Amino acid sequence: MTTFHASLVEAAGGFCRIEAPILPGATQQHGAGHAGLTFALADSAAGYAALTLMPPGQEVMTAEAKINLIAPALGERLIARGRVVKAGRRLTVVTAEVVAVTGDKEHSIAIFQGTMVPVDAATDRG
């Protein structure tokens, strides 16, 4: 997220909001924000939303995810709003909407759905 200059704006109670500018290094050949940027923000927002409901000592990892890119990522910045749909002991279903922002106007560009799994924070993932 550092590469994208993303900021974690809010994370609590099964919700998370992450924002990032659409920088020249994260655009595709038509000048829109790259799908990789959109996916990364959505996945992180959904993951942190899940993390807000995990017990201490637990982290989350994405087990599966899909994204519908419904409009080009054209604007000044992107906002990803993740939320938990259903939290379970072994699986947490999450969703996120990504919007592109120009001035004070937002338009939806992507819908993400995924499944997060809890992992022990001390687990070696190497």
Side-chain angles (χ1 to χ4, degrees), residues 42-68:
D43 182 49
S44 292
Y48 275 108
L51 186 60
T52 67
L53 300 180
M54 293 290 159
Q58 291 283 289
E59 294 286 337
V60 298
M61 293 186 79
T62 305
E64 66 83 31
K66 77 172 287 285
I67 194 165
N68 293 99

Side-chain angles (χ1 to χ4, degrees), residues 12-66:
F15 177 81
C16 178
R17 186 172 92 224
I18 296 176
E19 299 186 13
I22 301 174
L23 299 172
T27 59
Q28 42 85 298
Q29 70 273 22
H30 302 293
H34 195 280
L37 170 63
T38 302
F39 188 93
L41 293 175
D43 182 49
S44 292
Y48 275 108
L51 186 60
T52 67
L53 300 180
M54 293 290 159
Q58 291 283 289
E59 294 286 337
V60 298
M61 293 186 79
T62 305
E64 66 83 31
K66 77 172 287 285

Side-chain angles (χ1 to χ4, degrees), residues 66-90:
K66 77 172 287 285
I67 194 165
N68 293 99
L69 302 167
I70 56 178
L74 296 170
E76 298 162 0
R77 70 186 195 283
L78 299 181
I79 300 173
R81 295 180 180 100
R83 70 177 182 84
V84 172
V85 175
K86 171 77 168 85
R89 274 193 351 240
R90 299 183 195 272

